[in-house]
Amino acid sequence: MLLEGKIAIVTGASRGIGREIALTLAENGASLVISGNKEDLLKEVAGEIEKLNQKCIIHTGDISKPETSKDIASKAIEAFGKIDILVNNAGVNTRIPTLELQPEEWQKVININLSGTFYSCSAVLPHMIKQQYGKIINVSSTTAKTPHRNASPSYGASKAGVNYLTQHLALEMAKNNICVNAVCPGPIETDMSLQWTEDYRKQVLAKIPLGRIGESKDVANTVLFLASNMSDFITGESININGGTYMN
């Protein structure tokens, strides 16, 4: 029970990687506030968390709006009195080539992936500073570090911004015993990967030194490590979870 007695917020927790992160934190003793834009799916995740004998509160809203993050933080404080862990998982990806990318689509991705992460951090940091403790884990992407033909430039730019924000907050908040790190998944089995053609899947696999596509649990286990006391001397890092696809 690495997180016994801890209170965590996980955004984008209704499915995929976010769902797995929320369940993994609960399995290790955390009570949670989970957010997303699909109330029915959030209720299902909350039900699974409660079966693990942990408390869970849901919140639906648009993470690209600053008031959403403020509401989530307020719910956590009202219900539990503190916030120990924030996992910024909510995000969106597009595959629109540069010359086809319209300004509104560019801005949408930036607003959700980068601004949403900033708003969530800004909402919880005052509470973490007050208690002189906190763990923030931002879900970024390998695409933040190296371009990918199958991703929109807005996605890579937004995640590169998340990596810089992670480092900046880590530096600024270290004096308050707040660790801020990021995880950078590569090819992971999600709802999106189920849409791949067999030919494309073979191409992806051929580029992974470890010879398999990652699972949501691979990401969740790394988040668990960063959320726990095992990582107390790690801050400002962006950890690749990609089977060796990209190494730095």
Side-chain angles (χ1 to χ4, degrees):
M1 300 293 278
L2 293 171
L3 305 178
E4 188 170 3
K6 301 296 186 183
I7 306 302
I9 294 172
V10 180
T11 69
S14 60
R15 58 187 177 184
I17 291 173
R19 175 184 178 278
E20 193 65 47
I21 290 170
L23 292 174
T24 298
L25 299 188
E27 287 167 358
N28 282 272
S31 293
L32 290 101
V33 178
I34 59 174
S35 74
N37 52 20
K38 299 284 187 183
E39 185 176 5
D40 55 336
L41 295 179
L42 287 174
K43 286 182 177 178
E44 289 179 13
V45 178
E48 293 187 47
I49 289 171
E50 287 165 358
K51 288 178 183 176
L52 296 167
N53 297 317
Q54 301 301 332
K55 295 179 181 178
C56 184
I57 294 170
I58 69 170
H59 183 281
T60 56
D62 182 354
I63 204 66
S64 69
K65 299 182 183 303
E67 56 267 26
T68 299
S69 294
K70 291 178 182 177
D71 289 345
I72 294 169
S74 294
K75 271 195 169 184
I77 294 298
E78 181 181 347
F80 303 112
K82 64 173 184 169
I83 301 168
D84 299 303
I85 301 158
L86 167 65
V87 182
N88 285 308
N89 174 72
V92 63
N93 189 9
T94 62
R95 307 186 188 282
I96 304 171
T98 301
L99 296 181
E100 298 175 20
L101 187 63
Q102 298 300 310
E104 57 271 18
E105 187 63 31
W106 165 274
Q107 200 60 57
K108 174 186 175 183
V109 175
I110 297 295
N111 287 347
I112 294 173
N113 293 358
L114 180 54
S115 297
T117 297
F118 171 73
Y119 297 148
S120 292
C121 291
S122 298
V124 306
L125 279 170
H127 304 288
M128 291 182 172
I129 291 170
K130 184 178 180 181
Q131 66 194 23
Q132 289 291 287
Y133 175 84
K135 297 291 185 103
I136 296 177
I137 302 99
N138 298 320
V139 178
S140 181
S141 170
T142 304
T143 311
K145 302 180 179 183
T146 185
H148 196 298
R149 293 184 184 277
N150 203 34
S152 165
S154 58
Y155 180 74
S158 69
K159 293 300 188 179
V162 167
N163 283 6
Y164 174 77
L165 179 64
T166 297
Q167 292 181 326
H168 188 102
L169 292 178
L171 180 63
E172 192 174 346
M173 295 296 151
K175 64 182 182 290
N176 299 299
N177 195 33
I178 298 169
C179 296
V180 187
N181 292 288
V183 293
C184 296
I188 303 293
E189 293 282 13
T190 62
D191 291 346
M192 191 173 294
S193 67
L194 296 176
Q195 301 170 17
W196 294 349
T197 65
E198 190 59 33
D199 184 59
Y200 182 73
R201 179 175 288 272
K202 289 178 181 178
Q203 292 177 41
V204 171
L205 274 170
K207 296 177 182 178
I208 304 175
L210 284 181
R212 70 173 177 88
I213 296 172
E215 299 176 357
S216 294
K217 193 68 174 177
D218 294 315
V219 181
N221 285 340
T222 308
V223 170
L224 171 63
F225 166 71
L226 292 172
S228 76
N229 292 337
M230 291 192 296
S231 63
D232 280 354
F233 201 54
I234 299 174
T235 196
E237 292 299 316
S238 53
I239 299 175
N240 298 328
I241 310 171
N242 58 28
T245 306
Y246 176 80
M247 303 181 190
N248 71 319

